[in-house]
Amino acid sequence: QVQLVESGGGLVQPGGSLRLFCTVSVSIFSNYAMGWYRQAPGKQRELVASISFDSIIYYADSAKGRFIIARDKAKNTVYLQMNSLKPEDTAVYYCNSFPAGSNWGQGTQVTVSS
């Protein structure tokens, strides 16, 4: 069974940082590129960043220069380091394979507000 467990979200002031974690079932992690996605209220879910098994990385324009995606193969974990956060980064963040599969985790809420 596919398992995706996101954590690390929270409330942070503009300009602050958060690090998100995603623990992934081996069946996905071993065979697919992974991505971080987000969904803000009233908006469609969007891809924020992705990383292939051999660490080829893509960032959405909104994430370039501020976010860093990484994966730890030994821990079956994908990370998203988010710096210089802005109020428009407020969303529920999810990880999934890239392209995304049909099963999603519960996500982790990120709120950027003063």
Side-chain angles (χ1 to χ4, degrees):
Q1 183 176 356
V2 172
Q3 288 188 329
L4 299 155
V5 181
E6 301 94 344
S7 63
L11 172 64
V12 63
Q13 292 185 342
S17 298
L18 282 174
R19 192 176 198 190
L20 305 185
F21 303 82
C22 176
T23 302
V24 185
S25 59
V26 175
S27 61
I28 292 179
F29 197 86
S30 299
N31 297 293
Y32 292 95
M34 295 299 301
W36 278 99
Y37 304 78
R38 68 186 182 187
Q39 187 167 21
K43 295 187 177 181
Q44 289 190 334
R45 191 173 290 163
E46 62 178 358
L47 176 68
V48 175
S50 66
I51 182 167
S52 70
F53 189 75
D54 53 355
S55 298
I56 297 172
I57 291 172
Y58 163 83
Y59 293 107
D61 287 344
S62 59
K64 286 179 181 176
R66 300 188 300 127
F67 294 2
I68 300 171
I69 188 172
R71 64 193 296 167
D72 185 329
K73 297 175 183 178
K75 297 182 179 179
N76 292 343
T77 301
V78 185
Y79 306 94
L80 186 67
Q81 176 68 40
M82 305 190 296
N83 302 317
S84 302
L85 283 161
K86 305 175 182 179
E88 50 263 44
D89 294 317
T90 295
V92 179
Y93 284 71
Y94 302 87
C95 71
N96 206 321
S97 58
F98 176 75
S102 58
N103 293 312
W104 293 86
Q106 82 288 351
T108 186
Q109 175 70 48
V110 172
T111 303
V112 185
S113 175
S114 55

